Structures are given as structure tokens and as C-alpha cells.
Amino acid sequence: MQILLIEDEVNVVSFIRKGLEEQSYNVEVAYDGKMGLKMALEKEYDLILLDVILPGMNGLEVCKEIRSRKNIPILMLTALGSTDDVVNGLDNGADDYLRKPFKFQELLARIRALLRRKYGPEINSITEIGGLEVNHRNKSVKRNGIPIKLTAREFYLLNYFLNNKGVLVSRADIAENIWDSSFGNGSNVVDVYVNYLRNKIDKNFNPKLIHTVYGMGYIFREEND
Ligand code: CA
């Protein structure tokens, strides 16, 4: 799991980083708001920890900007503690907040809860369907025992299919859940990514898992076309 920590206080950074690394999370740090925003938009993270009072650009603005473009769990860290700031944070798209000072165990519990909420309850386990094996903890994927490398986006897409197994999902459903965006008519971004995923997990294997329902969308289930 990749976590981006946007925080300017060196002591807090080292406290959080050390604790999370002990729990096998990978942590990258941005010490100001602008750098944090840049990293959040350019790279793929599983979760963002975001301080409110930051040099350059404050955490609320950073949160709003990230949220307008990405569907990623954001946990705000606030020293301010007033109800207004909490409400502001949530209004700007944060998923949860934690008041400083906090105990590390509390932070860990919040992070786990957000990751569970976002990526499904089976985050610690392995899902198997038609010879496809998905390890939600380290995000590794195999089919018939052969390791398959997916990008973060492809993995989220696969996870979405797994959570909607046997259900017809439209392109709009996928766009909203994976990109937090509707793209608009005429965009083929969803089809492009479904094809990337299909080429990796289905093309050389049977039974097929991703099925196109003409004019409607896709169904993920174990069945030969
Ligand atoms: Ca700060």
C-alpha cells in the first residue's frame, strides 16, 4: 500500500512515517501543499494523509483539488479541532479526519477503515475466480499460477468487477467508480482500460471473465463466450 503524507512538521512526519513503515506501508512525503498536490495528481497512491495548515497551499484547497480529479481516500489531520474546520474538510471532499495530537494506533485504525471502505472488506484476503487469484493485501494477481502485472488503475478496475460479480455494469458506472468522472459521451476511456485488463487477465486464458454486453456495458463472471 502506497501512502502519500502531506505534512510540514518534521517531527510529525518522522513519527507517522516510522510507524507506517513498521506496518509495511510505503510512505512518500510532501512538505508543502503545492508539492503534495502535484504528487497526488501525478502518481498513484492508495491513500492520502493531509495536514490542514501547510505552506504554499492549505490542506483544504489541496483536498478540493485532488477530489475534483481523483477518487482516492483522504484522511485530514487537523490541529485546529474546531467543528468548522472538520466540516470544511469533509465539505472539501475528505473522507475522514483526525485531530492532532493523536495516538498512532488511532491513525492506523482510521487508515485501515478507509482502505477497507474503499477497496472492499476482503483487503486482507485472496479472491479466486476461474483460476484468477487476486491478493488484495499486496495487490498481486495471478491466473493459473502465472503472475500478472497490473497498473494501479487496472487493479481498481478489476476490484470493481470483483465487487460486482455477475452484475451488469455500465460504462458510466465504471467511469464514476474508477475515475470519479463521467467523461461524457463519446469517450472510450473505459473501453480502453477494460481492454487493457482483458488482454492481461483473459486473453490467454479460459474461461473468460470479462464479457461485453453489447450496447449496455460489461458483466464479470466465469463463463465462456
Ligand atoms: Ca502543519
mmCIF file of all heavy atoms in Angstrom, residues 6-9 51-55 77 79 100, ligand 1:
data_model
loop_
_atom_site.group_PDB
_atom_site.id
_atom_site.type_symbol
_atom_site.label_atom_id
_atom_site.label_comp_id
_atom_site.label_asym_id
_atom_site.label_seq_id
_atom_site.Cartn_x
_atom_site.Cartn_y
_atom_site.Cartn_z
ATOM 1 N N ILE A 6 1.151 14.405 3.364
ATOM 2 C CA ILE A 6 1.399 15.823 3.080
ATOM 3 C C ILE A 6 1.381 16.556 4.420
ATOM 4 O O ILE A 6 0.315 16.733 5.023
ATOM 5 C CB ILE A 6 0.347 16.400 2.105
ATOM 6 C CG1 ILE A 6 0.220 15.511 0.854
ATOM 7 C CG2 ILE A 6 0.719 17.833 1.716
ATOM 8 C CD1 ILE A 6 -0.885 15.939 -0.106
ATOM 9 N N GLU A 7 2.536 16.931 4.885
ATOM 10 C CA GLU A 7 2.681 17.445 6.257
ATOM 11 C C GLU A 7 3.987 18.217 6.339
ATOM 12 O O GLU A 7 5.005 17.762 5.826
ATOM 13 C CB GLU A 7 2.663 16.237 7.211
ATOM 14 C CG GLU A 7 3.164 16.479 8.608
ATOM 15 C CD GLU A 7 2.242 17.364 9.429
ATOM 16 O OE1 GLU A 7 1.227 16.861 9.944
ATOM 17 O OE2 GLU A 7 2.557 18.571 9.526
ATOM 18 N N ASP A 8 3.947 19.390 6.958
ATOM 19 C CA ASP A 8 5.151 20.221 7.003
ATOM 20 C C ASP A 8 5.946 20.078 8.294
ATOM 21 O O ASP A 8 7.091 20.525 8.356
ATOM 22 C CB ASP A 8 4.785 21.690 6.782
ATOM 23 C CG ASP A 8 3.803 22.197 7.818
ATOM 24 O OD1 ASP A 8 2.861 21.450 8.156
ATOM 25 O OD2 ASP A 8 3.978 23.322 8.298
ATOM 26 N N GLU A 9 5.344 19.504 9.330
ATOM 27 C CA GLU A 9 6.089 19.410 10.595
ATOM 28 C C GLU A 9 6.962 18.159 10.602
ATOM 29 O O GLU A 9 6.458 17.037 10.575
ATOM 30 C CB GLU A 9 5.126 19.383 11.778
ATOM 31 C CG GLU A 9 4.471 20.730 12.026
ATOM 32 C CD GLU A 9 3.155 20.578 12.766
ATOM 33 O OE1 GLU A 9 3.195 20.299 13.972
ATOM 34 O OE2 GLU A 9 2.106 20.699 12.112
ATOM 35 N N ASP A 51 -2.388 17.208 6.079
ATOM 36 C CA ASP A 51 -2.436 18.211 7.135
ATOM 37 C C ASP A 51 -3.240 19.417 6.629
ATOM 38 O O ASP A 51 -3.311 19.656 5.424
ATOM 39 C CB ASP A 51 -0.991 18.620 7.460
ATOM 40 C CG ASP A 51 -0.913 19.546 8.656
ATOM 41 O OD1 ASP A 51 -1.802 19.480 9.530
ATOM 42 O OD2 ASP A 51 0.053 20.341 8.720
ATOM 43 N N VAL A 52 -3.836 20.180 7.550
ATOM 44 C CA VAL A 52 -4.624 21.339 7.117
ATOM 45 C C VAL A 52 -3.743 22.572 6.920
ATOM 46 O O VAL A 52 -3.781 23.221 5.872
ATOM 47 C CB VAL A 52 -5.752 21.662 8.122
ATOM 48 C CG1 VAL A 52 -6.478 22.941 7.708
ATOM 49 C CG2 VAL A 52 -6.743 20.512 8.191
ATOM 50 N N ILE A 53 -2.943 22.896 7.918
ATOM 51 C CA ILE A 53 -2.137 24.115 7.822
ATOM 52 C C ILE A 53 -0.790 23.780 7.205
ATOM 53 O O ILE A 53 0.051 23.127 7.816
ATOM 54 C CB ILE A 53 -1.971 24.783 9.200
ATOM 55 C CG1 ILE A 53 -3.362 25.113 9.750
ATOM 56 C CG2 ILE A 53 -1.124 26.055 9.086
ATOM 57 C CD1 ILE A 53 -3.370 25.686 11.129
ATOM 58 N N LEU A 54 -0.634 24.208 5.968
ATOM 59 C CA LEU A 54 0.555 23.865 5.191
ATOM 60 C C LEU A 54 1.076 25.108 4.502
ATOM 61 O O LEU A 54 0.293 25.990 4.140
ATOM 62 C CB LEU A 54 0.184 22.866 4.085
ATOM 63 C CG LEU A 54 -0.170 21.434 4.482
ATOM 64 C CD1 LEU A 54 -0.831 20.737 3.302
ATOM 65 C CD2 LEU A 54 1.066 20.677 4.929
ATOM 66 N N PRO A 55 2.393 25.199 4.289
ATOM 67 C CA PRO A 55 2.905 26.312 3.493
ATOM 68 C C PRO A 55 2.519 26.143 2.019
ATOM 69 O O PRO A 55 2.289 25.025 1.569
ATOM 70 C CB PRO A 55 4.423 26.204 3.669
ATOM 71 C CG PRO A 55 4.685 24.833 4.172
ATOM 72 C CD PRO A 55 3.428 24.302 4.776
ATOM 73 N N LEU A 77 -5.598 15.592 8.678
ATOM 74 C CA LEU A 77 -5.031 15.693 10.017
ATOM 75 C C LEU A 77 -5.201 17.144 10.430
ATOM 76 O O LEU A 77 -4.674 18.034 9.775
ATOM 77 C CB LEU A 77 -3.544 15.331 9.985
ATOM 78 C CG LEU A 77 -3.209 13.970 9.370
ATOM 79 C CD1 LEU A 77 -1.707 13.790 9.259
ATOM 80 C CD2 LEU A 77 -3.827 12.840 10.188
ATOM 81 N N ALA A 79 -5.016 20.142 13.380
ATOM 82 C CA ALA A 79 -4.610 20.586 14.706
ATOM 83 C C ALA A 79 -5.646 21.566 15.240
ATOM 84 O O ALA A 79 -5.676 21.896 16.400
ATOM 85 C CB ALA A 79 -3.255 21.262 14.639
ATOM 86 N N LYS A 100 -5.164 16.335 15.822
ATOM 87 C CA LYS A 100 -3.862 16.238 16.479
ATOM 88 C C LYS A 100 -3.994 16.782 17.899
ATOM 89 O O LYS A 100 -4.753 17.730 18.096
ATOM 90 C CB LYS A 100 -2.826 17.086 15.740
ATOM 91 C CG LYS A 100 -2.457 16.603 14.372
ATOM 92 C CD LYS A 100 -1.443 17.605 13.830
ATOM 93 C CE LYS A 100 -1.053 17.306 12.411
ATOM 94 N NZ LYS A 100 -0.194 18.369 11.868
HETATM 95 CA CA CA B 1 1.081 21.987 9.559
#
